[in-house]
Amino acid sequence: MMKVPVLEIFGPTFQGEGAVIGQKTMFVRTAGCDYRCSWCDSAFTWDGSQKDNISMMTSDDIFESLDRLAKDNYNHVTISGGNPLLNKGLSEFVEAAKARGIRLAIETQGTKYQDWLPLIDDVTISPKPPSSGMKTDFKKLEFMMNRLNPAQYNLKVVVFDDKDFEHAKEVHAKYPNIEFYVQVGNPYLGERVENHTEKLLARYEQLVDKVMNDKELQNVRVLPQLHTLLWSNKQGV
């Protein structure tokens, strides 16, 4: 059986981002990413700081861990990263999950494609804004989009500043018929951030106001990063 570099498995918890925000879920977080976003809130997946926590796991190993944590108490799994689409070996887990009637969600920046991706129920494609320091390759992103059912995926742009906001508008204008989300960025990445919830809510309100007053953004949903409002930057929740 193929093995996948897994950094952590946790839950039950809930999805704090994207189209499935609020969904009760388990998380399988893979190691590795082909991006190096300046504000990445999961840099531990690629910066080597938690390399000793990586386990090479088969599909059976992953289900053993999931069932040990929440047997008979989950029917939804979020595959996270890093960028989980670096891993061809996830195909066995994805196929086994679908055979068990489990819904799957995944988020990716749209740089890599795997043949198992069309089996995922909810695909969030998140082209990174200027503040990330990364540049979106729209040809790669469209390669992925063209191989998925439009009802299966959505676009999400994280907004930290005015340039990011303009980038979000450009992405939405480029793909006006794709379900679209803007999400407020979290610049406060320390382990202990004083008044974190209040700071994030203030930023969220500012983003809501900007969208409400922008005539170019109509069929758009504005999201907080819901889990950070509850648990700040705590890992494994």
Side-chain angles (χ1 to χ4, degrees):
M1 296 183 70
M2 291 184 285
K3 293 187 176 182
V4 177
V6 176
L7 186 57
E8 58 179 353
I9 296 174
F10 60 94
T13 183
F14 70 97
Q15 176 56 256
E17 303 181 358
V20 289
I21 191 168
Q23 169 69 51
K24 180 179 176 180
T25 191
M26 301 292 288
F27 271 84
V28 175
R29 187 185 298 280
T30 61
C33 191
D34 49 326
Y35 268 22
R36 299 292 184 268
C37 296
S38 62
W39 37 249
C40 180
D41 60 1
S42 52
F44 57 86
T45 62
W46 50 262
D47 66 5
S49 62
Q50 295 193 22
K51 62 182 180 180
D52 292 340
N53 295 334
I54 298 173
S55 298
M56 298 303 298
M57 302 181 74
T58 65
S59 174
D60 287 347
D61 294 333
I62 295 172
F63 274 116
E64 182 179 345
S65 293
L66 290 169
D67 291 341
R68 184 170 59 250
L69 288 169
K71 188 170 181 59
D72 301 324
N73 190 25
Y74 73 97
N75 64 2
H76 189 281
V77 174
T78 299
I79 304 172
S80 186
N83 184 4
L85 280 159
L86 297 175
N87 298 289
K88 182 179 180 180
L90 273 168
S91 60
E92 292 181 356
F93 171 74
V94 170
E95 291 168 3
K98 300 315 297 177
R100 289 176 56 160
I102 294 172
R103 287 187 64 85
L104 296 171
I106 199 167
E107 179 167 336
T108 177
Q109 61 265 45
T111 57
K112 302 289 182 180
Y113 180 83
Q114 298 291 349
D115 290 339
W116 49 260
L117 189 61
L119 295 176
I120 305 296
D121 299 282
D122 297 290
V123 179
T124 294
I125 304 173
S126 183
K128 303 308 178 187
S131 65
S132 69
M134 301 291 105
K135 186 174 178 61
T136 297
D137 185 330
F138 284 99
K139 288 184 178 180
K140 290 182 178 179
L141 186 144
E142 289 171 5
F143 179 90
M144 175 180 292
M145 292 166 62
N146 290 336
R147 283 155 180 77
L148 299 174
N149 184 325
Q152 179 187 8
Y153 69 91
N154 65 88
L155 290 168
K156 185 191 79 174
V157 175
V158 179
V159 173
F160 282 82
D161 54 32
D162 289 342
K163 288 184 178 179
D164 290 355
F165 187 74
E166 292 304 314
H167 176 74
K169 290 171 60 175
E170 291 169 5
V171 172
H172 185 47
K174 191 175 181 67
Y175 310 107
N177 298 318
I178 303 301
E179 188 173 358
F180 188 72
Y181 298 82
V182 288
Q183 180 177 296
V184 66
N186 170 23
Y188 316 111
L189 297 181
E191 290 185 8
R192 296 181 180 180
V193 181
E194 187 176 356
N195 300 320
H196 198 190
T197 296
E198 290 79 2
K199 291 177 179 177
L200 292 176
L201 284 174
R203 291 178 60 83
Y204 179 51
E205 184 177 8
Q206 291 169 8
L207 181 58
V208 167
D209 287 343
K210 286 177 72 69
V211 173
M212 288 170 60
N213 290 293
D214 194 299
K215 296 179 181 179
E216 297 177 46
L217 293 174
Q218 298 299 332
N219 298 317
V220 176
R221 302 181 188 184
V222 189
L223 299 179
Q225 208 179 30
L226 196 55
H227 56 288
T228 60
L229 297 180
L230 287 175
W231 299 311
S232 191
N233 298 321
K234 185 178 179 181
Q235 185 180 339
V237 292

